[in-house]
């Protein structure tokens, strides 16, 4: 049997590890280079809709993740001040019946652990930690990834190194993100600190003029994940690790319903992230080097699809490399298969910022008419059906 070529992956986040797993399962030799000295994710949640879980189940890790995650029974919309509630859609058994796969709300470290263990089961030394990528070069015979200490060579390189991607900068220069005027608060809350009426397996989206809040259970239901987005222009650091204070977060949601206030008061550590906007890229492959996930299509988190798209990318990239012997052809096929979908996701996420923060939500009467229109069954289907029905295992590559 001829051995498949060696593929280098920069970054061991959700996208990089999914790509590595999918490639290893198709017989490629894979090495992943991660700058962090240990594999750890920020203590935050991530929603995984059926389209992402379809890929994770195809890779054989769906049931393992299910044991750690929560399976949301549905999603609801609530009004910022009165708490009035509208059902958005059913998930749980409905997601399985309709799309074939569940909708999970997961704790990011759990997802990363499951992915890393699965990669190591395929190749025990595939993940190299403390290995920061600093540059690259390529010619017709291969690609060299330059690391802070040393270098690695392979047939192809996948830049899965996130929103500040070094690989993207090496190919296309530095990008110029535009601050959206929105910052996102995030944190988790021990579920035991919340009243029983809030301890439900439901994803909730509070909407209000100039801000919104999303919360859902994670880690087997013992923590609530909180994300609060607010229009504010005095903070512009795009980082998973910048801390704020409970008082500052409370101030941003003054006048909001007591359920929101209660969550904020009980957040262990509130982190804040300035949301930057970037236009979809026209191209992200050059020769033997391509990108995936946030490295090529970072989006505002308002469709909850960034990580899921990185998972889809990883799966389809492996399919393309397995299907086409010529690496450059394979990478172009992968990019073509992903461009329109990820572009639509980036634009749809930005649209949701305007939708969730609409001034019409200021008063009860205006809000009712606005929600009836924007969250009608037809409008909701239009926004989500194309995302959830996508099948990574069959789409044409
Ligand atoms: C507040 C918030 C909430 C979100 N909620 C959701 C959600 O519910 N559902 C969803 O699908 N998405 C969500 N997202 C989006 C999601 O988090 C990202 O899209 C996803 O993490 C992208 O994965 P990635 O693997 O491309 O990048 P990352 O997760 O950023 O991973 C990149 C990896 O590369 C490493 N790295 C970086 N530079 C180098 C280098 N030079 N050398 C080596 N390694 C390097 C990093 O250390 C990291 O491990 C949310 C985002 C935010 C900000």
């Amino acid at each position: 049997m001829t051995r498949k070529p060696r593929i280098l992956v920069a970054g061991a986040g959700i996208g990089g590890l999914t790509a590595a797993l999918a490639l290893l399962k198709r017989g490629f030799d894979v090495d992943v280079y991660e700058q962090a000295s240990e594999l750890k994710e920020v203590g935050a949640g991530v929603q995984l809709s059926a389209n992402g879980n379809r890929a994770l189940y195809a890779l054989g890790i769906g049931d393992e993740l299910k044991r750690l995650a929560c399976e949301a029974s549905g999603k609801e919309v609530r009004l910022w001040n009165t708490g009035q509630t509208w059902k958005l859609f059913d998930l749980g058994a409905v997601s399985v019946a309709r799309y074939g796969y569940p909708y999970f709300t997961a704790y990011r470290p759990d997802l990363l652990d499951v992915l890393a263990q699965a990669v190591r089961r395929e190749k025990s030394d595939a993940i190299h930690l403390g290995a920061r990528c600093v540059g690259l070069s390529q010619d017709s015979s291969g690609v060299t990834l330059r690391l802070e200490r040393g270098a690695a060579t392979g047939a192809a390189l996948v830049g899965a190194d996130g929103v500040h991607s070094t690989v993207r900068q090496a190919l296309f220069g530095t990008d110029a993100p535009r601050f959206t005027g929105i910052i996102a608060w995030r944190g988790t809350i021990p579920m035991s600190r919340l009243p029983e009426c809030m301890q439900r397996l439901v994803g909730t989206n509070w909407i209000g003029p100039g801000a919104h809040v999303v919360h859902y259970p994670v880690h087997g239901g013992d923590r609530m994940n909180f994300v609060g987005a607010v229009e504010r222009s005095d903070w512009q650091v795009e980082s998973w690790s910048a801390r704020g204070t409970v008082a500052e977060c409370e101030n941003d949601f003054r006048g909001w319903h007591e359920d929101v206030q209660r969550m904020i008061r009980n957040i262990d550590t509130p982190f804040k992230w300035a949301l930057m906007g970037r236009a979809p890229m026209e191209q992200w492959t050059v020769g033997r080097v391509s990108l995936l996930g946030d490295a090529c299509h970072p989006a505002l988190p308002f469709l909850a699809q960034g990580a899921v798209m990185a998972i889809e990318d990883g799966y389809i990239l492996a399919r393309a490399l397995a299907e086409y012997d010529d690496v450059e052809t394979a990478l172009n096929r992968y990019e073509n298969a992903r461009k329109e979908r990820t572009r639509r996701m980036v634009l749809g996420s930005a649209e949701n910022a305007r939708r969730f923060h609409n001034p019409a939500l200021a008063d009860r009467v205006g809000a009712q008419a606005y929600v009836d229109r924007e969250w009608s069954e037809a409008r909701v289907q239009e926004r989500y059906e194309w995302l959830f029905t996508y099948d990574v295992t069959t789409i044409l590559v």
Side-chain angles (χ1 to χ4, degrees), residues 8-25:
L8 311 176
V9 179
I14 294 166
L17 289 181
T18 305
L21 179 59
L23 286 162
L24 285 162
K25 282 195 173 278

Side-chain angles (χ1 to χ4, degrees), residues 289-303:
V289 184
S290 192
L291 305 172
L292 64 70
D294 278 10
C296 52
H297 45 69
L300 302 184
F302 303 153
L303 262 181

Side-chain angles (χ1 to χ4, degrees), residues 49-55 305 308-309 312 341 387-388 390 392:
S49 49
N51 45 315
N53 287 328
R54 191 173 285 116
Q305 286 288 318
V308 168
M309 290 287 150
E312 289 182 359
R341 179 170 172 80
L387 288 165
F388 298 171
Y390 183 84
V392 282

Side-chain angles (χ1 to χ4, degrees), residues 258-315:
E258 171 56 19
D259 285 357
V260 173
Q261 308 283 347
R262 194 193 304 264
M263 282 187 289
I264 295 173
R265 283 197 299 277
N266 285 289
I267 289 178
D268 276 340
T269 313
F271 291 90
K272 51 185 187 175
W273 170 299
L275 293 169
M276 309 300 264
R278 293 171 173 85
M281 293 177 79
E282 293 304 325
Q283 178 199 349
W284 65 69
T285 301
V286 177
R288 296 172 171 274
V289 184
S290 192
L291 305 172
L292 64 70
D294 278 10
C296 52
H297 45 69
L300 302 184
F302 303 153
L303 262 181
Q305 286 288 318
V308 168
M309 290 287 150
I311 290 169
E312 289 182 359
D313 285 348
Y315 194 94

Side-chain angles (χ1 to χ4, degrees), residues 331-344:
L331 294 181
N332 279 311
R333 288 283 182 160
Y334 148 74
E335 182 189 298
N336 285 338
R338 299 297 297 156
K339 207 163 10 190
E340 188 44 41
R341 179 170 172 80
T342 54
R343 175 188 177 80
R344 197 171 162 194

